[in-house]
Amino acid sequence: MSSEKTNQSWGGRFSEPVDAFVARFTASVDFDKRLYRHDILGSQAHARMLTQAGVLSEAERDAIVAGLDEIRGEIEAGTFEWRVDLEDVHMNIEARLTERLGVVGKKLHTGRSRNDQVATDIRLWLRDEIDAILVELNRLQAGLLQLAETEADTIMPGFTHLQTAQPVTFGHHLLAWFEMLSRDHERLVDCRKRVNRMPLGSAALAGTTYPIQRQVTCELLGFEAIGGNSLDGVSDRDFAIEFCAAASLAMMHLSRFSEELVLWTSAQFQFIDLPDRFCTGSSIMPQKKNPDVPELVRGKTGRVFGALTGLLTLMKGQPLAYNKDNQEDKEPLFDAADTLRDSLRAFADMVPAIKPKREIMREAARRGFSTATDLADYLVRKGLPFRDCHEIVGHAVKYGVDSGKDLAEMSLEELRRFSDQIEQDVFAVLTLEGSVNARDHIGGTAPAQVRAAVQRGRELLARR
Ligand code: ARG
């Protein structure tokens, strides 16, 4: 039986070689070669464990561990020849090991299967990716705190329905994003716990007849726990779906953030300036400076949502245990992780470079009757019921719209036409500073509260 004609790892029971197109169609090496480092780590831990279990000799273990180190070197030097006919990263590396070591190389796969091998590799890979993502997330959050502190007193209009609602401080607005990202951080850290459980030892599906010591590989690979069921271990990809769900929420937040940056850099708002290095121009309109980075992040959000939907659909209805369907888990997962990491990185670089145009923000807050609620609250303090105050202020705003005057621009006589409870002290509440300073409680927009929130945020980052 010529095993050259077909795959050397499983060719034994086949009487004709795999169709050339089918070989390409079923191969995953083009994308799963990305797992090579984690595949090698998993194999080295497995070989060490097999020696402790008395399955491999110490000399065999040492040859395998050293051989795999050299293969890693070849891959990183770009001299490794990836072969599609060897299907995936696992068989490419194993075949090369056997080429180098002869029969010892063939012993590595004792007591395991590609099914537990690939599940282990993805988890090891994703654990590292989450750690790298958390680094960028931290950097972005630190940048937000810095900017929020500098802009604690900067006044801008706050919006509901994208209509001017009440004045807020720019620092407060920035800290809203900080809060969202804190929850994203929590979710990723929590997801990492479930990623960090070891399927190795599940073998193909039922476990193995060798006296494997799963605690040994668990410790060598830094897993937090050993998967408790072999069928589950080789088949479920819920950890990857969970990561994509957390990544989708983080991207959803970044897309909202992006949208505001896009609006604010427009000629209509002009609230901020982004440095040229984060923007590009137009090949036809010389005046253009486009906020490409936030636009692209907003657009890339769709890829991550797509990965989540794709993986949910991939997993839905799969019977136990491993099915080839699961080979389709990698590309969406890789893409989601890359997209989130790159988007966070771009934002972490860009946020500290945001230049607020404080005068324009302030002027926008001054227009649009943003202190109308403050006038109503003032009348409540004079003893009127809130609903009546709401009506009184409504009339004053109507007068303001007709006469082109903001509330703070009206004279005391004009204001007293709407209520004789209004006195000279009203002007203090109609100022923008009066308005934001009055919201002086945890989570409120007062500059003092923004500074306190920045302090709490710094303590949170320091505890991570
Ligand atoms: N390339 C496969 C995957 O990504 C590895 C596991 C294949 N196992 C098998 N028995 N065909 O899922």
Side-chain angles (χ1 to χ4, degrees):
M1 178 57 228
S2 75
S3 67
E4 302 113 57
K5 278 206 285 167
T6 174
N7 190 296
Q8 53 189 281
S9 303
W10 42 251
R13 62 101 67 217
F14 285 73
S15 54
E16 64 171 357
V18 168
D19 177 86
F21 171 70
V22 172
R24 265 183 289 129
F25 184 68
T26 55
S28 54
V29 64
D30 283 348
F31 48 87
D32 68 15
K33 63 184 175 201
R34 182 168 177 175
L35 297 171
Y36 78 90
R37 233 165 16 87
H38 301 93
D39 191 69
I40 287 173
L41 280 176
S43 290
Q44 290 176 326
H46 182 65
R48 291 194 162 100
M49 181 279 289
L50 287 179
T51 299
Q52 288 203 34
V55 177
L56 287 183
S57 72
E58 291 187 359
E60 287 169 333
R61 173 200 62 200
D62 293 346
I64 288 173
V65 169
L68 288 168
D69 278 338
E70 280 168 26
I71 290 172
R72 187 199 298 109
E74 290 175 4
I75 295 171
E76 287 171 358
T79 57
F80 188 91
E81 191 206 340
W82 294 103
R83 286 171 46 188
V84 175
D85 60 307
L86 290 173
E87 223 179 293
D88 54 26
V89 61
H90 323 293
M91 292 202 289
N92 266 272
I93 290 175
E94 193 190 314
R96 178 72 183 128
L97 190 69
T98 302
E99 206 171 271
R100 297 180 68 108
L101 304 182
V103 73
V104 177
K106 295 189 192 172
K107 293 191 177 182
L108 169 62
H109 212 51
T110 313
R112 74 170 184 187
S113 149
R114 277 184 296 151
N115 297 350
D116 60 341
Q117 189 179 355
V118 70
T120 303
D121 292 2
I122 307 169
R123 286 171 182 268
L124 290 173
W125 176 86
L126 185 54
R127 191 176 74 182
D128 279 354
E129 287 302 306
I130 291 174
D131 291 343
I133 286 166
L134 292 176
V135 169
E136 299 298 347
L137 193 47
N138 264 318
R139 211 157 63 78
L140 170 54
Q141 287 197 280
L144 279 169
L145 289 180
Q146 189 55 50
L147 191 59
E149 186 170 53
T150 318
E151 305 303 327
D153 298 290
T154 306
I155 291 178
M156 66 180 284
F159 299 93
T160 60
H161 314 266
L162 206 55
Q163 310 292 316
T164 300
Q166 292 171 355
V168 295
T169 50
F170 186 41
H172 190 57
H173 194 115
L174 292 165
L175 290 180
W177 287 323
F178 180 88
E179 290 282 317
M180 295 179 231
L181 293 170
S182 295
R183 294 193 295 277
D184 291 323
H185 192 281
E186 281 175 36
R187 267 186 286 271
L188 286 165
V189 167
D190 202 59
C191 162
R192 190 188 188 282
K193 294 180 200 157
R194 282 172 293 281
V195 169
N196 203 16
R197 292 179 191 166
M198 189 185 76
L200 190 61
S202 302
L205 74 163
T208 177
T209 56
Y210 296 93
I212 58 167
Q213 296 172 7
R214 299 187 71 195
Q215 0 28 284
V216 172
T217 37
C218 180
E219 202 163 301
L220 285 171
L221 294 171
F223 280 112
E224 279 172 43
I226 299 171
N229 182 290
S230 61
L231 297 164
D232 174 46
V234 292
S235 62
D236 205 358
R237 297 291 184 263
D238 61 352
F239 66 92
I241 298 173
E242 188 177 348
F243 168 77
C244 287
S248 291
L249 287 170
M251 288 300 296
M252 178 275 289
H253 288 149
L254 290 183
S255 80
R256 298 180 63 194
F257 196 163
S258 296
E259 172 63 10
E260 295 202 332
L261 296 178
V262 170
L263 277 175
W264 292 354
T265 53
S266 71
Q268 286 66 34
F269 272 83
Q270 295 183 60
F271 281 9
I272 60 165
D273 220 356
L274 286 177
D276 290 357
R277 65 182 183 280
F278 296 103
C279 302
T280 62
S282 157
S283 54
I284 170 164
M285 296 166 284
Q287 85 283 12
K288 290 295 289 292
K289 175 174 154 184
N290 299 326
D292 288 58
V293 170
E295 286 178 281
L296 204 49
V297 167
R298 190 176 60 187
K300 281 180 185 288
T301 302
R303 303 168 74 115
V304 180
F305 293 4
L308 173 61
T309 309
L311 289 186
L312 280 168
T313 312
L314 173 70
M315 204 66 235
K316 176 186 176 295
Q318 270 196 50
L320 287 171
Y322 176 85
N323 300 287
K324 185 77 169 178
D325 310 42
N326 278 351
Q327 182 165 290
E328 286 290 301
D329 63 355
K330 287 165 207 68
E331 289 160 290
L333 179 63
F334 292 167
D335 192 63
D338 290 345
T339 303
L340 178 58
R341 185 174 173 179
D342 289 352
S343 301
L344 287 168
R345 178 188 167 165
F347 263 71
D349 290 345
M350 187 176 62
V351 161
I354 290 174
K355 292 273 164 289
K357 296 181 177 169
R358 300 190 182 106
E359 274 316 305
I360 295 180
M361 282 189 183
R362 187 186 172 82
E363 182 52 27
R366 212 187 50 75
R367 278 180 276 115
F369 307 98
S370 65
T371 55
T373 317
D374 298 87
L375 179 56
D377 290 343
Y378 167 89
L379 291 169
V380 168
R381 287 195 294 277
K382 300 273 171 176
L384 275 72
F386 182 78
R387 275 293 151 228
D388 293 347
C389 303
H390 187 285
E391 163 122 28
I392 290 166
V393 178
H395 289 137
V397 167
K398 169 103 178 39
Y399 170 76
V401 171
D402 294 344
S403 60
K405 284 182 187 170
D406 200 72
L407 293 172
E409 292 165 343
M410 294 175 196
S411 66
L412 186 57
E413 293 73 62
E414 282 174 301
L415 285 167
R416 283 176 65 88
R417 284 188 216 157
F418 307 103
S419 167
D420 58 11
Q421 299 293 311
I422 297 178
E423 290 163 80
Q424 186 60 39
D425 60 354
V426 75
F427 292 105
V429 305
L430 293 182
T431 65
L432 297 171
E433 277 72 16
S435 175
V436 295
N437 281 322
R439 288 163 172 81
D440 191 15
H441 51 76
I442 293 174
T445 198
Q449 292 296 334
V450 172
R451 290 192 181 90
V454 166
Q455 196 42 43
R456 287 198 303 275
R458 294 223 163 98
E459 284 160 18
L460 178 75
L461 295 195
R463 278 198 303 275
R464 282 180 181 167

